Amino acid sequence: MERATLARFTPVPEDDRQYPLEYVDANSVIKLGEDDGSVVIGVCEPVDPALLDRLEEFHAKPVRFLRIERSELAAWLGRRLSVPAPVAPAPAREGADDERILLDRLANDAPIVNLVNSLMIEAIRAGASDIHIESLADEARVRYRIDGVLRTVQRLEKGRFPALSSRIKIMANLNIMERRLPQDGRMSAHLGEGCHEVRVSVVPIADGESLVLRLLDTGDAPRGLDDLGLEARSVRLLRGMVAHRHGLVLATGPTGSGKTTTLNALLREVASDRVKAVTIEDPVEYRVAGVDQIQTDERIGLTFDSLLRRVLRQDPDVIVVGEIRDAPTAALALRAALTGHLVLSTLHTSDAVSSITRLRDLGVEPWLIAAVLRGALAQRLVRKVCPSCIRTAKPLARERALLAAHGLAPVRLARGAGCEACDGTGFRGRTAVVELFAVDERIAETIARDGRAPEVEAYLGAHGFRGLVRNGLALAAKGVTTVAEVEKAVMS
């Protein structure tokens, strides 16, 4: 039986041209199209032969069956079942408790439940990393962040936002009555055999609230360095860095550049039954078997530096510090690396070499940096050209000049034409652009005598180091991404 998507048959027949919604839900079938001569029906696995026979008998004309994804049918049902239903007026009563009763009733009303379910199903199917739900002046807006870019997917009536917000707060175990203060919570979303951890952030804004749901696929975390899509040379350097029994390895880059994913892949490289590994994270995003993972909570004093002091008493071999963001954490992390621990952490810097300068700015002595730093990497994420609609074309004059300036001269470059698989964007998925260096004796000596970053960069450049721009353009030359995407993600 041929596979198909509902999008291929948009608009799908509705109202009296479609089976009753209860029948669609109960039997996992949907009419995709019909004319005088035939009918096309979508069915979900497992397929019931008896049901197919009944449908052929019912229509009394040629029937073509196509296999569709259950999650796609669920999303369609959610949209259809989330049409606003009239709400009976509540008795005139006063007090916050009465408002809670009304909100609870609205939040658990079937249309709102189905709306929330359909939003999450569609976001997971689209590969979104975040769902943004915002109350604006005249409407509520729903956006998905897909491959790092926000897309508006729905606009709702302003009056539906309170019930939608309350439903999500209930699911995340938050206070549905609180609209003046920010709240954070979490929940789990199951779709088929997959499970997503969902972090919920609620912040009051001028016209109501902004809700952001971060979707973390617990079954899709990288298993190791080989899963990151890095070139072989970079993987060898990273493995060499974490092969040391003690020292500091840093991942740098702006928020959302994939530093946490890289740290988790490094951690999986060294974690074993013979190694005591502890992480301090804000928040814990990916669970790693056999590793003690701790989440910070500044409200009760569980900061990076206070937790690091306690962790050092746990006899760890490997420590992951989610972020070195202040002088106390920096001092403790480097002291831990000096006293026999392998420490993995992140910094917010623009490039790998700047991590040395940033540690100095945090008050760390140059001799200590030289003694413990094993290496650093910087990374960005770029969108990949959609493999379903990839085309090639001659480079534009501007692209050719930029590539030539970095020693690259491809004859043709890849571009995405836009298709159903990538929602017309021409891109699907992301990959990392990385620059990294391992500290050798010469670099350590330069750091110890307080040498400046340009001196380190000049030495690295003479020994084969390639920066983010060069590596990003190399990916464009190979047809993985585009020059424009590299300019936006790396050069802006």
Side-chain angles (χ1 to χ4, degrees):
M1 190 181 297
E2 181 186 347
R3 289 189 177 275
T5 64
L6 266 63
R8 174 177 155 192
F9 292 89
T10 301
V12 173
E14 296 183 358
D15 302 325
D16 59 345
R17 296 174 294 121
Q18 183 58 261
Y19 305 130
L21 296 183
E22 295 80 2
Y23 184 83
V24 174
D25 187 22
N27 295 281
S28 298
V29 298
I30 183 172
K31 191 188 298 182
L32 299 175
E34 184 176 14
D35 56 30
D36 293 338
S38 64
V39 60
V40 181
I41 300 174
V43 297
C44 300
E45 293 181 325
V47 178
D48 180 3
L51 174 64
L52 305 189
D53 291 341
R54 289 196 299 271
L55 287 169
E56 286 182 326
E57 183 179 352
F58 172 78
H59 287 288
K61 57 183 171 181
V63 176
R64 181 185 176 202
F65 292 105
L66 299 174
R67 186 177 288 111
I68 60 172
E69 293 291 334
R70 187 174 297 275
S71 59
E72 191 174 12
L73 179 62
W76 182 87
L77 272 171
R79 289 193 299 273
R80 295 291 299 128
L81 294 171
S82 63
V83 176
V87 178
R93 299 160 74 181
E94 297 181 356
D97 289 340
D98 298 327
E99 185 180 6
R100 173 186 285 275
I101 292 170
L102 176 60
L103 284 176
D104 272 338
R105 182 162 63 91
L106 288 174
N108 289 288
D109 192 34
I112 290 299
V113 172
N114 288 317
L115 175 59
V116 172
N117 290 347
S118 69
L119 290 177
M120 296 186 68
I121 289 170
E122 289 192 319
I124 292 171
R125 291 189 66 256
S129 60
D130 304 85
I131 305 173
H132 292 246
I133 307 172
E134 299 147 314
S135 177
L136 306 178
D138 302 314
E139 63 181 2
R141 178 178 62 184
V142 182
R143 296 185 289 174
Y144 295 160
R145 187 177 295 280
I146 301 173
D147 295 337
V149 179
L150 281 172
R151 304 180 195 170
T152 299
V153 295
Q154 275 199 53
R155 296 183 183 275
L156 306 171
E157 297 173 7
K158 174 82 170 180
R160 302 181 69 188
F161 184 84
L164 179 61
S165 172
S166 295
R167 172 61 184 169
I168 293 172
K169 288 177 181 177
I170 289 171
M171 294 169 69
N173 199 28
L174 300 177
N175 182 358
I176 65 173
M177 296 301 298
E178 183 56 75
R179 300 191 196 91
R180 301 167 302 166
L181 298 174
Q183 297 189 76
D184 295 297
R186 59 192 308 136
M187 56 185 172
S188 296
H190 297 265
L191 182 59
E193 297 181 357
C195 176
H196 288 71
E197 290 292 324
V198 184
R199 295 204 323 256
V200 180
S201 171
V202 183
V203 174
I205 58 177
D207 295 307
E209 293 175 313
S210 169
L211 287 75
V212 177
L213 284 65
R214 167 64 60 88
L215 305 173
L216 301 169
D217 189 346
T218 57
D220 195 33
R223 305 303 304 177
L225 294 177
D226 294 323
D227 300 317
L228 295 180
L230 304 180
E231 60 180 15
R233 178 178 176 273
S234 297
V235 172
R236 285 197 304 271
L237 279 174
L238 287 170
R239 285 204 167 107
M241 293 177 194
V242 297
H244 295 276
R245 294 182 61 86
H246 61 88
L248 174 67
V249 178
L250 293 173
T252 74
T255 300
S257 59
K259 300 187 300 295
T260 300
T261 300
T262 300
L263 279 189
N264 271 272
L266 287 170
L267 177 60
R268 292 172 191 272
E269 287 287 320
V270 298
S272 71
D273 289 342
R274 295 181 295 175
V275 171
K276 170 78 169 183
V278 182
T279 74
I280 305 170
E281 305 173 69
D282 179 25
V284 174
E285 292 191 6
Y286 298 114
R287 310 284 176 156
V288 183
V291 175
D292 298 340
Q293 296 178 267
I294 307 170
Q295 182 162 316
T296 64
D297 190 341
E298 294 188 0
R299 295 172 299 179
I300 57 175
L302 295 180
T303 59
F304 280 110
D305 59 314
S306 66
L307 284 168
L308 185 51
R309 287 190 180 89
R310 303 301 189 276
V311 164
L312 289 172
R313 300 172 188 170
Q314 289 277 306
D315 186 31
D317 299 297
V318 179
I319 305 171
V320 177
V321 181
E323 181 184 348
I324 295 177
R325 60 176 63 162
D326 52 40
T329 306
L332 280 168
L334 272 79
R335 292 287 176 182
L338 185 65
T339 55
H341 306 88
L342 178 61
V343 180
L344 312 178
S345 191
T346 71
L347 276 175
H348 281 286
T349 64
S350 58
D351 56 64
V353 175
S354 294
S355 60
I356 300 170
T357 305
R358 177 60 179 151
L359 290 175
R360 286 197 190 108
D361 292 341
L362 290 172
V364 182
E365 294 291 336
W367 69 266
L368 182 54
I369 301 174
V372 304
L373 186 62
R374 300 299 177 219
L377 67 97
Q379 67 182 67
R380 304 288 190 275
L381 294 177
V382 294
R383 293 183 294 172
K384 297 191 293 185
V385 177
C386 175
S388 300
C389 60
I390 188 170
R391 303 288 187 273
T392 61
K394 291 182 179 180
L396 302 174
R398 179 185 59 80
E399 294 173 329
R400 191 162 46 247
L402 179 58
L403 290 161
H406 291 83
L408 300 166
V411 176
R412 300 183 72 82
L413 294 176
R415 312 192 193 284
C419 64
E420 179 183 305
C422 62
D423 197 22
T425 65
F427 296 96
R428 186 158 52 130
R430 290 190 291 175
T431 190
V433 179
V434 173
E435 68 173 30
L436 71 161
F437 70 91
V439 174
D440 60 14
E441 290 185 6
R442 173 66 182 277
I443 296 175
E445 183 273 326
T446 303
I447 297 172
R449 61 176 169 78
D450 206 15
R452 300 292 92 182
E455 186 177 351
V456 176
E457 290 171 350
Y459 171 78
L460 288 171
H463 289 78
F465 174 80
R466 296 189 303 184
L468 284 169
V469 175
R470 171 62 172 75
N471 289 337
L473 292 174
L475 287 179
K478 293 177 182 176
V480 176
T481 186
T482 65
V483 172
E485 184 69 10
V486 174
E487 290 179 309
K488 182 180 70 173
V490 179
M491 302 174 67
S492 60

